[in-house]
Amino acid sequence: MNDRATRQLSGLVGRLAAEGMLSIEQAREAQKQAVLERRPLVQYLVENLQLDSHRLAEIASLEFGVPLFDISSFKTEYMPNNLVDINLVIKHHALPLLHRGNRLFIAVSDPTNLAALDEIKFHTGINTDAVLVEEKALSKAINKWVEAYDNLAAGLDDMVAEDLENLDLHAPDQGDAEESSTAIDETPVVRFVKKVLIDAIRQGASDIHFEPYENVYRVRFRTDGILREVVRPPRNLSARLAARLKVMAQMDISERRMPQDGRIQMRLSRKRTIDFRVSSLPTLFGEKIVLRILDPSSAQMGIDALGYEEDQKELYLKALSQPQGMILVTGPTGSGKTVSLYTGLNMLNEPERNISTAEDPVEINMEGINQVHVNPKVGLNFAEALRSFLRQDPDVIMVGEIRDLETAEIAIKAAQTGHLVLSTLHTNSAAETITRMLNMGVPAFNLATSLNLIIAQRLARRLCKICAQPAADVAREVWLKEGFTEEMLAEAKIMRPVGCSECKDGYKGRIGVYEVVRVTPELARIIMDNGNAMEIHQQARAEGFNDLRSSALWKVARGVTSLEEINRITTD
């Protein structure tokens, strides 16, 4: 205990003795025992000496000049559930109440319990403030919080989402994998894995990382594009957690030296399932397991929910209505390309159309579409799948990714012979997509005459609607320097993130930012003249197609996201 805490503790003990709550000898002995047992003094006095909890709280409030808070009236839904480890809550008898901005408010019954504030601040990286509450009320709240945590970990009745009522976890087409291996059917491991998967779905995570290191084992969620640590299970569970996940994904649990891929299916209800794409990787201290969460409902949410500007949406819809040609969606991994493609396919999915896709892997199952999982090990690559599609009377073809010249040439041939082709590339902008195809060796004439539309995209975090505040303290010259135009600033509602119990760091959810470029006759001429990316970019801007940066700035001007966020995902 540091000197400040010792002085405060002595002051509280003296005040209690002066108020006649206990004798000087009792006070000194209580102080000594509380320190030895590493427990807050107030908790020790209530539990061991049966002192009046409410009176103690009033005296502490007077001694330290802080108001007394009625925790029983506080709504539990405001409590941050994933910031503070349950072991810290129990160890320090301190409960996180509210996370607002860069402050975390901690309920304590003993204001001298500085060790709790310091350790919680160390683990969360967030400044902590003490909130004084009555000891008995605090103990009741902590017990309720711990009970809810345990129920969730055990996969019991704490599942509040209606879809989770009839949870069924299994590998696709295998039945219940939970009973398939007695070697790893250990209740704590089963419960922990189930809890992590449920938590990830609830929080809207896109990926789950199970990571072993020399001295620790951690689990992280990627939520709104940002990786965050959520829990550190015991390091000695590493092998059993990996085995559990691998059995569920129909992977070989005896193979620990080579990477493997698998799939888990979680049935939430009769009408809804969630798929997990599973990848294992041997690392220095064990197998790292990463699960990509694939929600089929994301393809059903409609184009209006994706974040396209009106003119961009019209360009995409018009390209989808064409009987032939090519649409390319481009961006880095995790930029939402799959959702954009599947949204388009869902709109095209009608009985009179024959739609086939070649994917690596198939991420979202869609009824009415013929989906092929490419398997290079047996010779079924994208090019071979495309050749087969062309012999099966297709109307629409989707290629997961154009990676080589052979695939590009077959896709362009299909686009030129009466088929609508959709595909992706990993490039940063529309202009770079064209130059990438040309550098692959695609003839400029074929590219110019077959390519209809290019969509370059990123995902930006949305500002929380509850806590976002106007960014009114920034000079107009600063906004102009960042790239805003006078038109953007005319009716701008620029907001900044704050942070509250309903969001993470001031953001909640994501929205797409797009550059949508139609290949016009003038752009086709530049392509056939082997123009570079700069020339293509300048022509696209001259014809009124906003680049990614401009589209992102418009979303900032409308208060959808923040300048800091678009600076993270785009460049000037």
Side-chain angles (χ1 to χ4, degrees), residues 347-380:
M347 290 187 288
L348 294 170
N349 189 11
E350 297 177 353
E352 62 267 22
R353 287 195 179 96
N354 177 19
I355 304 176
S356 296
T357 72
E359 306 172 61
D360 183 18
V362 174
E363 294 198 355
I364 299 175
N365 299 325
M366 297 186 71
E367 187 175 346
I369 294 179
N370 308 290
Q371 296 173 276
V372 174
H373 185 154
V374 299
N375 186 357
K377 294 180 180 179
V378 299
L380 180 59

Side-chain angles (χ1 to χ4, degrees), residues 52-62 68 132-135:
D52 182 78
S53 176
H54 184 70
R55 181 60 180 149
L56 271 174
E58 289 180 333
I59 292 175
S61 177
L62 290 171
L68 183 61
L132 180 62
V133 299
E134 184 181 338
E135 167 55 29

Side-chain angles (χ1 to χ4, degrees), residues 294-314:
L294 308 171
D295 186 357
S297 64
S298 62
Q300 309 288 333
M301 60 185 180
I303 192 170
D304 291 329
L306 299 185
Y308 286 93
E309 304 294 333
E310 280 301 316
D311 58 334
Q312 295 176 334
K313 183 177 73 172
E314 290 302 317

Side-chain angles (χ1 to χ4, degrees), residues 127 211 229 297 352 377 420 480-481 511 519 534:
N127 293 323
E211 301 172 315
E229 182 176 319
S297 64
E352 62 267 22
K377 294 180 180 179
L420 182 63
L480 293 172
K481 187 176 180 181
I511 191 169
V519 179
M534 182 61 69

